[in-house]
Amino acid sequence: MFAKMINFYKANNFNFNSFNEHQQSVFRAIQTCRTGVLGGHLYKCEKCGTVHLLNNSCRNRNCPICQGEKRVKWVKNQCNKLLNIPYFHVVFTVPAVLNRLFLEKQAFCYNILYRLAWETLEVFFKNEKFFGGRGGMICILHSWGQNLSFHPHIHCIVPGAGIDFDGNFKIIKGKNNFLFPVKKLSNVFRAKFTAELTKLEKKQVLKIYSWERRQMFEKKWVVHCKKPFGKPQIVVNYLGNYSHRIAISESRILSYNAENITFNFKN
């Protein structure tokens, strides 16, 4: 549908020159995906002689067709690494007051989000009250919410086990079947993130306005931690939905014409 939609707009003289170079390249990739423009491969059956042509894919990360195939491969690869232990789904979210900073300084802010999400978990892994050792995680960055608004957050799959300080493999025994206390995770994450932003502001890497700083402490910092999934494979399939998915997938598009695109979203 994406390719048909783009061709429809071109036929109706839609001004693609209004898009930047990256956006134009994405549109061209989706438009030519699995067409003769990108070339292809001929396959011939050795028994009956039937020849079959397969056109090449664009492999663009914004293409819903190509991302679907990549998701299947990614899930299969991750499933091969799973252990027979509990796995937890942890989500680190920053308050909306930081959206401006994330949009203006994406490289800095996303790197900070990844690093501090792990450093926060590492604090609890090392704490002997909660575990006392080393753990790990797999994480995926997601930059929009269910209503398709800008909403940067990280989905983490955390194994409920690790290596203790004596070098032994050990299962985490969290309270009430949870990994670590959610409120304490949130407080440590907020403290680390605000300290890092203050450090970058002093280095004049970014600018934080007074009202933003005030709301950074007034708003809730949400670290969501669910109970362990039933089977490890369910964990990876769940995360795969976030790792290789575009914002407006084909299933969301209801109709389109020369002026409007109608799509659904979860509010």
Side-chain angles (χ1 to χ4, degrees):
M1 179 179 282
F2 268 85
K4 290 181 181 178
M5 192 166 64
I6 293 170
N7 289 331
F8 174 82
Y9 287 139
K10 283 205 167 186
N12 284 274
N13 298 318
F14 185 82
N15 184 19
F16 279 87
N17 293 326
S18 61
F19 294 111
N20 61 39
E21 185 177 348
H22 171 68
Q23 291 168 333
Q24 289 186 38
S25 68
V26 171
F27 272 91
R28 284 194 297 269
I30 297 175
Q31 181 188 23
T32 57
C33 186
R34 299 193 181 187
T35 66
V37 176
L38 299 179
H41 295 79
L42 284 174
Y43 292 89
K44 183 178 179 180
C45 178
E46 295 180 350
K47 293 183 178 181
C48 68
T50 301
V51 177
H52 186 61
L53 171 64
L54 289 179
N55 291 318
N56 292 335
S57 302
C58 67
R59 298 184 180 182
N60 191 285
R61 67 178 301 273
N62 298 283
C63 177
I65 298 175
C66 294
Q67 284 298 295
E69 290 185 354
K70 288 181 180 179
R71 176 189 176 277
V72 173
K73 292 180 180 179
W74 184 87
V75 168
K76 184 178 180 180
N77 183 44
Q78 296 302 322
C79 282
N80 292 333
K81 302 176 183 178
L82 292 176
L83 301 173
N84 188 25
I85 58 174
Y87 283 83
F88 295 84
H89 179 204
V90 183
V91 185
F92 288 88
T93 305
V94 295
V97 66
L98 295 180
N99 282 357
R100 179 193 65 82
L101 278 176
F102 269 78
L103 287 170
E104 292 181 2
K105 301 288 184 178
Q106 293 189 45
F108 280 102
C109 290
Y110 289 143
N111 284 332
I112 293 171
L113 183 55
Y114 269 113
R115 176 164 55 84
L116 297 186
W118 167 243
E119 287 185 11
T120 300
L121 286 172
E122 192 176 32
V123 167
F124 288 84
F125 273 117
K126 289 182 177 180
N127 191 322
E128 293 188 0
K129 179 180 177 182
F130 302 111
F131 181 66
R134 294 176 293 139
M137 74 172 184
I138 301 172
C139 56
I140 294 293
L141 172 69
H142 213 197
S143 58
W144 66 85
Q146 291 180 328
N147 62 357
L148 302 185
S149 62
F150 185 64
H151 179 59
H153 56 285
I154 282 185
H155 291 267
C156 307
I157 296 301
V158 183
I163 306 298
D164 65 19
F165 291 135
D166 295 324
N168 301 312
F169 185 78
K170 180 181 174 183
I171 301 292
I172 297 176
K173 296 180 180 179
K175 186 177 180 180
N176 297 325
N177 210 23
F178 282 90
L179 181 65
F180 302 127
V182 174
K183 288 185 178 180
K184 291 183 178 180
L185 278 171
S186 301
N187 291 338
V188 172
F189 180 58
R190 180 179 67 179
K192 284 182 171 292
F193 213 105
T194 52
E196 188 70 21
L197 291 179
T198 300
K199 187 191 303 181
L200 290 175
E201 186 178 31
K202 289 180 178 179
K203 293 180 179 179
Q204 298 184 335
V205 175
L206 48 79
K207 169 67 176 176
I208 304 175
Y209 297 107
S210 58
W211 65 271
E212 289 176 321
R213 183 172 294 281
R214 184 178 65 253
Q215 287 193 20
M216 278 166 52
F217 291 94
E218 292 177 352
K219 301 292 183 179
K220 285 186 177 181
W221 287 62
V222 179
V223 177
H224 186 61
C225 184
K226 295 183 177 180
K227 291 184 177 182
F229 291 83
K231 294 182 180 179
Q233 289 76 15
I234 298 177
V235 179
V236 178
N237 281 311
Y238 185 88
L239 192 60
N241 291 329
Y242 293 96
S243 64
H244 296 81
R245 184 171 66 180
I246 62 174
I248 303 178
S249 59
E250 294 206 23
S251 60
R252 290 185 186 272
I253 300 174
L254 303 178
S255 63
Y256 61 90
N257 55 42
E259 297 180 351
N260 300 290
I261 302 173
T262 303
F263 59 90
N264 60 22
F265 65 90
K266 185 176 181 179
N267 189 342

